[in-house]
Amino acid sequence: MDNNFKIKIDALVDEINTVTDLIRKIEILNYMEQQSSFMLWQLEEEKRIDDDSRDY
């Protein structure tokens, strides 16, 4: 993984850790999980389409 992304992700996690309201922190983390799951699904779909196109 690109080190710049690691730095940005770590900075974001550090920023979330400063949130004191537990409910708000949970909402933020749930949103991040939702977004990352969607991004992963998109990438897997793109890979599947790419793999299918190579079969022909």
Side-chain angles (χ1 to χ4, degrees):
M1 179 189 311
D2 186 326
N3 195 46
N4 289 329
F5 282 115
K6 287 181 182 181
I7 292 168
K8 290 176 184 179
I9 291 168
D10 289 344
L12 182 57
V13 169
D14 288 342
E15 186 173 342
I16 291 167
N17 280 332
T18 65
V19 175
T20 57
D21 181 5
L22 184 58
I23 300 300
R24 183 77 175 128
K25 190 182 285 191
I26 290 170
E27 290 173 349
I28 294 167
L29 292 173
N30 282 334
Y31 179 75
M32 287 180 60
E33 182 180 28
Q34 175 188 358
Q35 291 299 95
S36 63
S37 293
F38 180 69
M39 288 176 66
L40 182 58
W41 174 82
Q42 284 181 313
L43 289 171
E44 289 171 343
E45 186 66 12
E46 287 178 22
K47 184 178 181 320
R48 185 192 63 76
I49 291 169
D50 187 55
D51 289 346
D52 288 349
S53 69
R54 293 174 192 220
D55 289 341
Y56 295 106

